[in-house]
Amino acid sequence: MKTKAGNKKVNKAWLHDHINDPYVKLATREGYRARAAYKLKEIDETLGLIKPGYLVVDLGCTPGAWSQYVRRRLSPTGAAVGALNGTIIGLDLLPMEPIEGVTFIQGDFREADVLTKLEQALQGRKADLVVSDMAPNLSGISSADAARIEHLVELAIEFSQNHMKPQGALVAKVFHGGSYNDVVQHFKAAFDVVKPLKPKASRDRSSETFLVGLGLKKQGA
């Protein structure tokens, strides 16, 4: 019974924090599906990652806040609808409500049929930017969770090496913990420049941070 009461207190505290979160309020006001949009916004504004005409691939895109942000950045007027100067492709295992101008592919990009759909959407081009907000379902077993996190980052890097321009960039969500140093090493092995960033919209108590890889190293170099 004490555990249930404790859980109720935790849930109530989380709900209170969520409702009063300035980024939640801002997302509601500005029409974003999640506060996560402001994480990518700060990263983009810091490093100038998104430019007119870019092809951007959003891995783990559901519910769509990052794709929404990219869509507005590629709009000549910053609008959520209308003209779009660029291409956005989103992939996720889960369904996503449509976003105007975003090509959505549901499935696992490691599977042949999903990869075929992606290649059709790319139309022979390579991405200028890959963004990944993918995160595993955490079990609470630190060693297992670290392995899951590392695996997702490896997938995002491998995807970038296969489908991104050599001068492109990858933004990936990572977590401080058992796998962090290994993940950073994977990034350093794949990219010329690696920058860790903790946006203001990322909650202080959260272990999440973001790694940005700039410029692919030649494979086998």
Side-chain angles (χ1 to χ4, degrees), residues 34-44 46-47 49 58-60 65-66 129-135 149 153 156-157 169-177 180 183-184 187 191 193-204 206-214:
R35 67 194 297 286
Y38 300 101
K39 300 173 189 177
L40 182 59
K41 183 175 188 287
E42 185 177 331
I43 294 167
D44 175 40
T46 301
L47 297 173
L49 297 176
D58 184 359
L59 301 176
W66 278 23
L129 174 66
V130 176
V131 296
S132 171
D133 201 23
M134 293 190 295
I149 291 163
V153 174
I157 292 171
L170 167 66
V171 179
K173 176 159 71 179
V174 299
F175 295 87
H176 281 287
Y180 182 73
V183 165
V184 170
F187 256 78
F191 294 96
V193 177
V194 178
K195 293 181 179 288
L197 291 168
K198 173 86 169 174
K200 293 183 185 72
S202 183
R203 291 186 174 105
D204 291 340
S206 171
S207 66
E208 77 170 9
T209 190
F210 294 86
L211 289 177
V212 182
L214 303 167

Side-chain angles (χ1 to χ4, degrees), residues 18 26 31 34-35 45 47 50 64 70 73 83 88 92 104 111-112 133 170 177 180 187 194-195 202 215-216 218:
H18 184 75
L26 196 57
R35 67 194 297 286
E45 288 175 347
L47 297 173
I50 304 171
V70 175
R73 283 284 287 117
I88 309 159
D92 204 295
F104 174 64
E111 294 178 0
D133 201 23
L170 167 66
Y180 182 73
F187 256 78
V194 178
K195 293 181 179 288
S202 183
L216 285 167
K218 288 183 180 177

Side-chain angles (χ1 to χ4, degrees), residues 88-107:
I88 309 159
I89 302 168
L91 297 96
D92 204 295
L93 293 169
L94 300 172
M96 183 181 80
E97 287 294 317
I99 297 169
E100 185 180 311
V102 177
T103 299
F104 174 64
I105 300 166
Q106 185 175 351

